[in-house]
Amino acid sequence: MKQTRQCLLISGLMASLLAMAGCEQKVADVPSTTAHSAVPIADAVPVATAPVCDGVAPAGDLIPVRIDAANSTRNEEGLYEGPVWIKDSLYFSDFTFSTGFPSRILKLDASGNVTTAIDDSGSNGLAVDKDGFLIAGTHKYKSLSRFNPATGERTSVAAQFAGNVFNSPNDIAIANDGTIYFTDPAFQRDAAPGGQEKTGVYRVAIDGTVTLVDDTISNPNGIALSPAGDVLYVNGGGDQGLLRAYPIVDGIPQAGKNLVTGLKIPDGMAIDCKGNIYVTEHIERKLRVYNPQGQQIAQANTDANLTNVAFGGADGKTLFLTGAGALWKIDLAVTGSPY
């Protein structure tokens, strides 16, 4: 499941929670209402400053529109994942279920053309850092990677924890100071040898130190930060899915508390500038929108399995949704996170 911060406050949420103990390891090679409970590379272009928070949060039923030009042309089954808006284009991963889960990064430009930006990326979730580089969860390398979107050049951001590679890094969130959070489920664990004993949520400090945030969620998936950067959100848990919130104090996530339960295979997430949380449910083909208190305020259904969401477009108010070989958009009245 991410984002640059765009407007103020959701501060103090669950500030009384106990601090979670973390394990640290230096990176080896740093270079519907519902029944649910409430290191730059030369050619990259810096991302423009996020727009001022603008608009009105969605409510009720939303209608996704399929972008036919982006329909998959592959003969193999697979998924689109990790949408991220950079400048005037949407980038997203396209991987199949073949051995190794081969993946590439596609680009949808402002004119509606889809091209291959990076071939053989081995990627799933994507984000963008302050310098305009793609940060990717790469199951091919079992690591967190940084790509130059112009050249495809890759460097490693986080390669190991406790002496082992990761399972299959998935979704990503980046704080204003460059701290990176990511989920490491086991969905593409067979893409390469090795992995962790448990699935987990990790924090990568700006000096490269990797810290375990939580290993109690089965297959954690979507991840996002509140607009103020003071709450980390993670979903996961499969059929018994949940959305968990972790207050961040002095840059460190504290013990988490379940904000929403009863989700069914939750997947990627995005946040609008007012702090509302957009959660996808994969096989339910449903998008649910929750306010920061965990109350559902809007929903949408798609015509294929749903994976992830991101805000983009010329005014930052278009919500893009990725799924099983399909891409949709919803025009909203509020700006949000670009991944």
Side-chain angles (χ1 to χ4, degrees):
M1 29 88 217
K2 344 189 219 318
Q3 97 212 68
T4 53
R5 255 44 67 205
Q6 301 174 316
C7 73
L8 26 145
L9 66 130
I10 317 174
S11 58
L13 176 63
M14 299 170 288
S16 61
L17 294 170
L18 296 175
M20 170 176 286
C23 304
E24 293 190 354
Q25 176 74 27
K26 192 72 173 180
V27 173
D29 62 341
V30 175
S32 146
T33 353
T34 176
H36 297 79
S37 309
V39 184
I41 307 173
D43 298 327
V45 180
V47 177
T49 303
V52 173
C53 183
D54 179 40
V56 179
D61 292 323
L62 310 175
I63 308 300
V65 176
R66 187 185 272 253
I67 302 174
D68 290 334
N71 288 342
S72 179
T73 58
R74 291 186 185 270
N75 295 321
E76 305 164 276
E77 290 187 356
L79 296 172
Y80 291 165
E81 255 287 9
V84 55
W85 185 264
I86 302 178
K87 295 186 67 182
D88 59 356
S89 299
L90 185 78
Y91 294 78
F92 54 98
S93 293
D94 170 24
F95 69 88
T96 74
F97 301 141
S98 301
T99 301
F101 304 94
S103 177
R104 61 188 177 184
I105 296 175
L106 301 181
K107 176 184 177 182
L108 174 72
D109 65 25
S111 65
N113 293 319
V114 178
T115 56
T116 300
I118 301 174
D119 202 12
D120 194 23
S121 59
S123 62
N124 189 314
L126 303 174
V128 59
D129 69 12
K130 63 181 178 60
D131 296 313
F133 298 109
L134 285 166
I135 305 299
T138 45
H139 48 262
K140 177 180 179 178
Y141 305 101
K142 289 184 171 277
S143 70
L144 203 62
S145 299
R146 178 184 287 110
F147 287 100
N148 183 326
T151 67
E153 182 180 356
R154 187 191 80 90
T155 56
S156 179
V157 176
Q160 293 186 357
F161 176 75
N164 295 313
V165 295
F166 297 101
N167 296 309
S168 57
N170 190 299
D171 210 0
I172 301 158
I174 306 177
N176 280 338
D177 66 356
T179 298
I180 301 173
Y181 299 92
F182 71 98
T183 56
D184 186 39
F187 299 130
Q188 289 86 45
R189 195 177 194 274
D190 294 338
Q196 297 289 320
E197 291 185 2
K198 293 184 176 182
T199 58
V201 181
Y202 295 92
R203 175 184 185 270
V204 185
I206 57 176
D207 68 354
T209 300
V210 179
T211 303
L212 177 65
V213 175
D214 194 350
D215 64 0
T216 67
I217 301 175
S218 174
N219 284 321
N221 200 333
I223 192 167
L225 284 160
S226 65
D230 57 357
V231 182
L232 177 70
Y233 298 104
V234 178
N235 70 40
D239 286 335
Q240 305 300 316
L242 55 85
L243 171 62
R244 186 169 292 175
Y246 307 79
I248 295 176
V249 179
D250 296 329
I252 304 299
Q254 309 299 296
K257 179 179 179 180
N258 291 347
L259 190 64
V260 177
T261 58
L263 293 167
K264 191 173 180 64
I265 311 183
D267 207 319
M269 294 194 294
I271 306 281
D272 70 27
C273 68
K274 296 181 179 296
N276 300 302
I277 310 151
Y278 297 65
V279 181
T280 63
E281 285 180 295
H282 186 76
I283 63 173
E284 293 292 291
R285 302 180 176 186
K286 182 177 286 290
L287 172 74
R288 299 186 189 273
V289 186
Y290 297 95
N291 65 20
Q293 291 74 45
Q295 300 164 327
Q296 185 171 325
I297 59 173
Q299 58 281 320
N301 293 286
T302 57
D303 58 355
N305 287 3
L306 189 58
T307 61
N308 218 322
V309 283
F311 282 84
D315 60 1
K317 295 180 181 179
T318 300
L319 187 71
F320 292 97
L321 302 86
T322 54
L327 186 65
W328 303 265
K329 66 178 181 178
I330 303 174
D331 292 328
L332 297 178
V334 64
T335 57
S337 63
Y339 58 90

